[in-house]
Amino acid sequence: MTSGSDFLIGPTSDCEAWLTGIRSVGVLSSQGVESKAFRGSARGSCLWGITTLETTFASLSVCRFERMHRDPRLECSDYYNAVFQIFGRSTLIQKDRVMTLTVGDIGFVDVARPVSLISCDPSCRWLSLSLPRGALISHVGREPHGGMHCHGATPASRRLFRLVSDALGEDDTSAGAADAFMRLAVYDLIGALFADSDLPSGTSHTDKLFTRICRIATNHFSNPELSLRDVAGEAGISLRYLQKLFTARGTTYGRFIQSLRLDHAARLLNRRNLLKSGQPLTEIAYACGFRDYAHFSRTFHLRFGRTPSAASEGRLSAPG
């Protein structure tokens, strides 16, 4: 689990040198690794502006990495880690969740919280991506929670795994013009896998119905012609009943749609700033489902305290 600078420890049987390298990038405590019959390697690098750590471990003993409450430092706790199980099998523990990682699986860790990574496998290999907390939250529009994992069989997991492993296989970590785009692609896939939805998750019939309505609106909010009647029709309920579902939850359909559009606008503005694309602000407004730029600018200012043009000069806080 990384957050540090580049380094390289090639295949070695020097257990202490290996542990020193691992600790230098944020794993501040390790247990159970014995020098007898040990062999491992560690390589820190930068991929599309994202710090990475490749680690191999081969030993007859149990390998256990831990970060306790007392361990996180400010420069470390501002990150999330995506842990890829490249070879072997391990156990990831965070927030009382015990997750088994097999080849192709990805674990997601909040570095600011206690975490353990344990392997009894005599030959194990991991890859970790260090993702800045603020940038990731701002991009996906909500705060991911650590202590999660995704099986390698899911489509998004396979794509992310392949994207990262292929790039590392090319052994070319030099900065390039496409870095910002690739970094955003990684953030998109991480968001798809680990960003909890803001939609309701109740178990009653009406909660499930409301969740379905919200998903319909979320899938179509960029269409300026989308109406309450359209959503009700797709959900198979009456217009009056749909309005009641929103009213019972202290909001309206109009507020919900506007919130979706403004959140998306904030993400597009952050993307515009990062890529320095110069995308016209009117184009962003229309892409989010606003017909009129003046209306977009007013509602954006009310939500974020800045006009879109002022926000385009610096990163916005995560929509909330």
Side-chain angles (χ1 to χ4, degrees):
M1 286 160 279
T2 77
S3 61
S5 56
D6 294 359
F7 72 95
L8 173 64
I9 299 175
T12 180
S13 57
D14 187 341
C15 183
E16 284 305 314
W18 182 79
L19 287 174
T20 298
I22 298 300
R23 293 187 189 115
S24 74
V25 291
V27 179
L28 303 181
S29 178
S30 53
Q31 304 174 7
V33 180
E34 301 174 357
S35 57
K36 183 180 179 180
F38 166 83
R39 190 164 184 81
S41 66
R43 178 191 182 194
S45 60
C46 187
L47 182 66
W48 309 312
I50 301 172
T51 302
T52 69
L53 173 66
E54 294 176 83
T55 310
T56 63
F57 164 80
S59 175
L60 297 178
S61 61
V62 175
C63 178
R64 182 185 184 105
F65 302 121
E66 291 188 330
R67 179 183 290 282
M68 307 305 291
H69 276 293
R70 65 183 181 276
D71 287 337
R73 302 294 188 263
L74 290 177
E75 67 273 14
C76 296
S77 60
D78 285 341
Y79 288 83
Y80 292 103
N81 278 176
V83 182
F84 297 70
Q85 188 75 39
I86 305 296
F87 192 79
R89 184 185 182 96
S90 59
T91 300
L92 184 65
I93 305 173
Q94 187 167 62
K95 295 172 64 175
D96 297 323
R97 294 173 182 161
V98 181
M99 299 153 281
T100 299
L101 302 182
T102 58
V103 176
D105 291 351
I106 305 173
F108 190 74
V109 172
D110 185 344
V111 180
R113 292 178 173 271
V115 59
S116 297
L117 179 63
I118 308 166
S119 177
C120 301
D121 199 306
S123 182
C124 221
R125 181 184 174 197
W126 302 276
L127 168 68
S128 175
L129 300 186
S130 186
L131 307 164
R133 182 183 300 273
L136 183 61
I137 292 174
S138 180
H139 182 77
V140 303
R142 57 182 66 91
E143 183 172 2
H145 299 290
M148 302 175 68
H149 85 294
C150 187
H151 293 294
T154 65
S157 181
R158 287 200 306 269
R159 290 187 179 97
L160 180 58
F161 203 95
R162 181 69 179 270
L163 179 69
V164 173
S165 59
D166 283 356
L168 289 172
E170 294 170 358
D171 200 26
D172 179 10
T173 57
S174 58
D179 277 7
F181 291 96
M182 298 303 294
R183 189 159 61 250
L184 290 176
V186 172
Y187 287 177
D188 282 337
L189 289 168
I190 289 290
L193 290 169
F194 300 112
D196 287 347
S197 174
D198 289 333
L199 301 181
S201 57
T203 57
S204 71
H205 172 73
T206 54
D207 283 339
K208 289 179 179 178
L209 177 59
F210 185 66
T211 297
R212 181 164 176 259
I213 290 166
C214 290
R215 293 195 186 283
I216 292 170
T218 300
N219 290 336
H220 301 290
F221 72 84
S222 61
N223 177 8
E225 305 298 328
L226 183 68
S227 69
L228 187 62
R229 191 176 300 278
D230 294 330
V231 177
E234 186 168 340
I237 60 177
S238 71
L239 186 62
R240 181 179 176 81
Y241 186 45
L242 189 150
Q243 291 171 324
K244 282 186 174 182
L245 288 172
F246 279 97
T247 301
R249 288 158 178 82
T251 188
T252 65
Y253 168 79
R255 291 195 195 112
F256 180 73
I257 284 291
Q258 181 169 287
S259 179
L260 291 174
R261 289 170 174 166
L262 290 174
D263 285 351
H264 190 54
R267 290 192 287 272
L268 291 182
L269 281 170
N270 283 333
R271 181 187 181 95
R272 177 185 187 269
N273 297 343
L274 178 63
L275 301 179
K276 298 179 173 59
S277 65
Q279 182 183 16
L281 298 181
T282 52
E283 186 177 302
I284 288 178
Y286 300 147
C288 296
F290 290 92
R291 289 194 183 93
D292 176 75
Y293 181 80
H295 174 62
F296 164 64
S297 183
R298 285 194 302 271
T299 56
F300 190 94
H301 184 272
L302 286 172
R303 171 73 181 276
F304 296 105
R306 281 191 284 175
T307 63
S309 57
S312 68
E313 298 173 1
R315 179 174 289 279
L316 280 167
S317 300

